[in-house]
Structure formats: structure tokens, C-alpha cells
Amino acid sequence: MDFVVLLFILLLRLGPQWTAAVEDMSWTYTGLVGQSQWSEHFPECGGSSQSPVDIVTTQTKYDPGLSPLTPLGYSQHGNRPFSLYNNGHTAVIELPDWMSLGGLPWLFSAVQMHLHWGSGGPNYGGSEHTINGQSAEAELHVVHYNSELYPNMSAAMTQKDGLAVLGILIVTGEETNPAFNNIINYLSRIRHANQKVFIPAFDVQSLLPKDLDRYYRYNGSLTTPPCFQSVIWTLFHERVQISKAQLLKMETILYSSEAEDADRMLLQDNYRATQPLNHRAVFASFTAESGKELSSGEVTAIVIGVMCGCVGLAVIVRFLLKTIRMKEPEKAKEKPQEMALNCTSQAETRDERPSPQSHTCDTPGQDTLEDNNRTGKSNVV
Ligand SMILES: *[C@@H]1O[C@H](CO)[C@@H](O)[C@H](O)[C@H]1NC(C)=O
Ligand SMILES: *[C@@H]1O[C@H](CO)[C@@H](O)[C@H](O)[C@H]1NC(C)=O
């Protein structure tokens, strides 16, 4: 352990070169240096405050002190183009240093944003964070460092409260999200790892959900090696929507392999599994208004549940009735005649000439017998 710490400090002294060294040490999401092996090479990945996590909404704590987040300068992108880079793990957009984030105890300056996604298929994962065990199709991360306490990203990323990351869950729907085309339309120019292009600057705030007031907050880590536990996480309650075609492009255009590599490897499923919460708490900036918060899925579940309940009850009642009737087969045979007699006698007493309605007097006993025959047959089948 001591050796690892020493090496760590030594590497830290090297600064940027060290970051390069870490990136050279190629890790992947699956395979030999897949996520279950990350901690062997990057000790912090085995820590107790890792990200992402599954957010169990009933176990979150409402914190009225969590003020709305305020993106500063997100919409003032200026004239300088953004750089879009395939680092072999995701597509990264470097952000200008005047973009920052207010609403946290310190001012955080924007550094970069990137995406995580799956490999298609309905109900297949893609997001890193999950809510009540449910994945979204993709997730956008906007990374900031604490520029009040630290001089730069490399200095901040190893420190507690050094980073603030915004997590935005992405789901698919019918409509194209034009804001995301500012990225997706250029992915074809960085198909291979280590390719970089400049793209027109755009309004970064247009990628975020409209409701920035409702979010979950917890202390966690980078979701990729070296997994430093330095991140104040904000996961927005509102999801953003892109089209299925946009998601498909995101999932199928990029390679994790370099242009020269003989074996092309699609860059897919670049999301880490959720990590144990351990001692940590997840705070919510809003209260769960359970009545209003029912999603369409929950409503469907309730409707189906109630319907199943009714059908079940009907089956039981029918079974009970049948059992009772089966016990009195003789009486059932007698009843039709009694009923018929009753009908005619009633009709006769009410009116001398029996009205046509009197013919509608049913003989339920016969129906029951027929029913029994039918169900008897179907049981054999
Ligand atoms: C970050 O700040 C540290 C501490 O001031 C400094 O030593 C290092 O060179 C800086 N790194 C970069 C990439 O600017
Ligand atoms: C994160 O950790 C800091 C320092 O330990 C603590 O003050 C803060 O309340 C924690 N925040 C959350 C959201 O748990």
C-alpha cells in the first residue's frame, strides 16, 4: 500500500505527464482490464464512496438548503470553436474557462463534458446512474473544478470537494433534440480513438433539462479510472429526451480503437455499473410528492394490478358459486320449472293477458347447467 501511495505522490508531482501515463494504461469497460479489475490498477476505484450509484428515491433525504443550480456563461459560448475529442472511452468536449457553476458552496469552473451510452436494444442500459434500479438510455456529464480552492483541474481532481459534476439522464422519444445535434452531427469526424476536431461553439445550457431546481446530491467519484473520490454529484430529476435515431448514431459511430488498428472495436456500453452507497446519504432538493409524481409506467402498473385483482376476484366468486351449485344438482334441475311457473303466475296475476315481457323471464338454472357443461369441456382441453 505504502508503495502505491508513494508512487501516487510521485506521479502527482509529474503533473500532466502523469495524467497521460494513466491514460496510456489502457482500461476498458469489459475484458482484461474491465471494471472489476480497475481497482487493481487504480486503488481509488475500490474505495467506499464510488460513483455511479442507484438512487432509491424513498431513501433520499430532503434538504431544503439545496438551492437551485445556476449555470453561468453556459449560453455565452463566444466565437472560439469547441474541441471534440474521441479519447477511446467517450466523446469529450472541452469547455471554455468562463463557463462556471453557481449554487454550490464554492464557485466551480467548467472543464469538459462527455457522454455515456449503451449498445442499443430496448431496456438495455446506457446511463451510469440509475433511479430505483432503472437505467436511462444515456447520460451526459458536465465536469467542473473548484476554482475558488484550487488553481486547476489536475490539482482539484484529487481533493475532496475538488470537482462538481452535473449528471443528466437521457431518454429517447419521437422528437429530435436539436441541441444534441451540435455534438452528434460531428461524431463521424472523430470515429477513431485520439481523433480531435473543432466544432462550432453552441449554447451548452440547451443540453440541460429546463428544471434545474430539482436534483439529487451526493458525494462520489469519477466514474472512470482513476476514480478519484472528489466529486460533488448533482443528478437532475428531469430527464432530457433525444430521438431514437440520435441515440443510434451515438451508439454506433465511434470506435474505441485507433484508425491504424487492424481490429476495429465499436465504442459501446461505456458506462460503469452502480457502486454501493455504503455510509453515504443521497439528498434531494425537493420533496417526493408521491401523488403527483406517478409516472405513466406506474399508472399502467396500477391499472394492470387492479384489473388482475378484479379478474382474480371474479374467478374466485365464480368458482365458489359453481361449487355451491354442484352440491345441489337436483335443486338446480327443479328450479327452472319453479321459475317458469313463477313467471307465468306472476304475469297472470299482474295482467290477464301476459305481456311479451313475461317471455323474457329467464331460467337461470338452465344457463348454469350449460355453463357447467362448457367449463367441463374446456377443463379437459
Ligand atoms: C496545476 O496547479 C499546480 C499547483 O499550482 C501546478 O503545479 C501545475 O503545474 C498545474 N497544472 C497545470 C496543468 O496547469
Ligand atoms: C460531502 O462531504 C462533506 C465533507 O465531508 C460534507 O460536509 C457534505 O455534507 C457531504 N455532502 C453530501 C451531499 O453528502
Side-chain angles (χ1 to χ4, degrees):
M1 263 323 264
D2 282 348
F3 170 72
V4 172
V5 171
L6 271 175
L7 188 69
F8 201 65
I9 292 167
L10 194 75
L11 288 170
L12 271 183
R13 290 260 163 86
L14 293 174
Q17 289 109 306
W18 166 77
T19 319
V22 164
E23 280 179 0
D24 282 351
M25 203 162 168
S26 56
W27 53 270
T28 52
Y29 283 91
T30 54
L32 279 181
V33 195
Q35 29 187 320
S36 42
Q37 277 74 46
W38 287 358
S39 60
E40 289 167 24
H41 306 270
F42 309 95
E44 286 220 29
C45 297
S48 59
S49 299
Q50 289 290 294
S51 292
V53 295
D54 176 41
I55 292 173
V56 180
T57 51
T58 53
Q59 281 163 28
T60 58
K61 294 195 179 83
Y62 170 54
D63 180 355
L66 292 177
S67 47
L69 282 172
T70 47
L72 303 166
Y74 269 47
S75 302
Q76 287 126 43
H77 45 75
N79 297 321
R80 289 228 320 263
F82 291 165
S83 79
L84 176 67
Y85 176 53
N86 177 343
N87 68 5
H89 309 295
T90 184
V92 188
I93 291 178
E94 280 169 33
L95 294 173
D97 48 16
W98 67 78
M99 284 187 195
S100 58
L101 192 61
L104 287 159
W106 303 274
L107 188 73
F108 285 79
S109 295
V111 182
Q112 52 109 317
M113 59 183 174
H114 61 264
L115 292 149
H116 298 270
W117 58 81
S119 54
N123 306 324
Y124 206 73
S127 68
E128 299 214 291
H129 287 92
T130 57
I131 294 188
N132 298 327
Q134 288 227 306
S135 301
E137 272 115 327
E139 187 169 333
L140 171 70
H141 289 161
V142 191
V143 183
H144 309 72
Y145 78 94
N146 187 332
S147 49
E148 268 188 57
L149 297 185
Y150 308 106
N152 54 45
M153 172 73 179
S154 0
M157 71 194 292
T158 57
Q159 309 296 318
K160 195 161 176 58
D161 302 323
L163 305 180
V165 182
L166 303 182
I168 295 112
L169 296 174
I170 301 171
V171 292
T172 54
E174 294 305 314
E175 281 168 38
T176 300
N177 185 327
F180 276 82
N181 276 347
N182 287 306
I183 304 170
I184 293 169
N185 283 352
Y186 298 96
L187 292 178
S188 58
R189 303 206 196 157
I190 53 156
R191 294 199 76 171
H192 303 282
N194 297 325
Q195 289 182 335
K196 189 173 187 169
V197 286
F198 286 98
I199 62 170
F202 61 92
D203 178 358
V204 174
Q205 186 149 359
S206 64
L207 300 172
L208 306 185
K210 284 184 194 72
D211 180 6
L212 301 179
D213 298 357
R214 298 203 288 172
Y215 57 81
Y216 300 104
R217 167 70 47 77
Y218 76 97
N219 286 331
S221 74
L222 299 176
T223 64
T224 57
C227 308
F228 294 137
Q229 301 188 151
S230 53
V231 181
I232 302 174
W233 272 98
T234 302
L235 188 75
F236 290 110
H237 170 74
E238 189 189 333
R239 294 142 189 248
V240 301
Q241 192 230 279
I242 64 172
S243 71
K244 289 192 169 64
Q246 286 180 304
L247 180 73
L248 190 68
K249 270 190 177 180
M250 195 192 288
E251 290 174 341
T252 55
I253 286 187
L254 301 183
Y255 294 105
S256 59
S257 50
E258 295 189 327
E260 305 80 48
D261 290 349
D263 297 323
R264 286 192 174 181
M265 301 274 289
L266 270 179
L267 178 37
Q268 291 187 321
D269 292 323
N270 58 351
Y271 61 93
R272 188 188 194 190
T274 54
Q275 305 294 305
L277 202 53
N278 298 320
H279 57 284
R280 293 173 290 174
V282 177
F283 295 90
S285 69
F286 58 103
T287 50
E289 302 146 303
S290 50
K292 289 180 197 165
E293 296 293 316
L294 284 183
S295 69
S296 61
E298 285 166 332
V299 170
T300 312
I302 290 168
V303 168
I304 290 173
V306 167
M307 277 164 61
C308 288
C310 288
V311 168
L313 201 64
V315 165
I316 290 167
V317 167
R318 198 182 157 82
F319 174 77
L320 287 177
L321 285 176
K322 208 191 290 176
T323 321
I324 291 163
R325 281 170 186 164
M326 294 277 267
K327 279 180 186 163
E328 316 167 276
E330 299 309 312
K331 276 183 190 172
K333 271 179 197 167
E334 284 164 24
K335 260 185 185 166
Q337 287 159 350
E338 277 173 32
M339 292 291 282
L341 285 173
N342 284 347
C343 280
T344 36
S345 58
Q346 270 170 19
E348 274 160 8
T349 45
R350 255 192 263 122
D351 195 327
E352 289 303 316
R353 293 155 294 159
S355 70
Q357 276 154 334
S358 67
H359 294 295
T360 61
C361 279
D362 278 337
T363 51
Q366 279 176 352
D367 275 354
T368 314
L369 284 176
E370 277 168 27
D371 276 359
N372 284 345
N373 287 343
R374 263 186 248 134
T375 44
K377 275 175 203 159
S378 62
N379 280 348
V380 175
V381 174

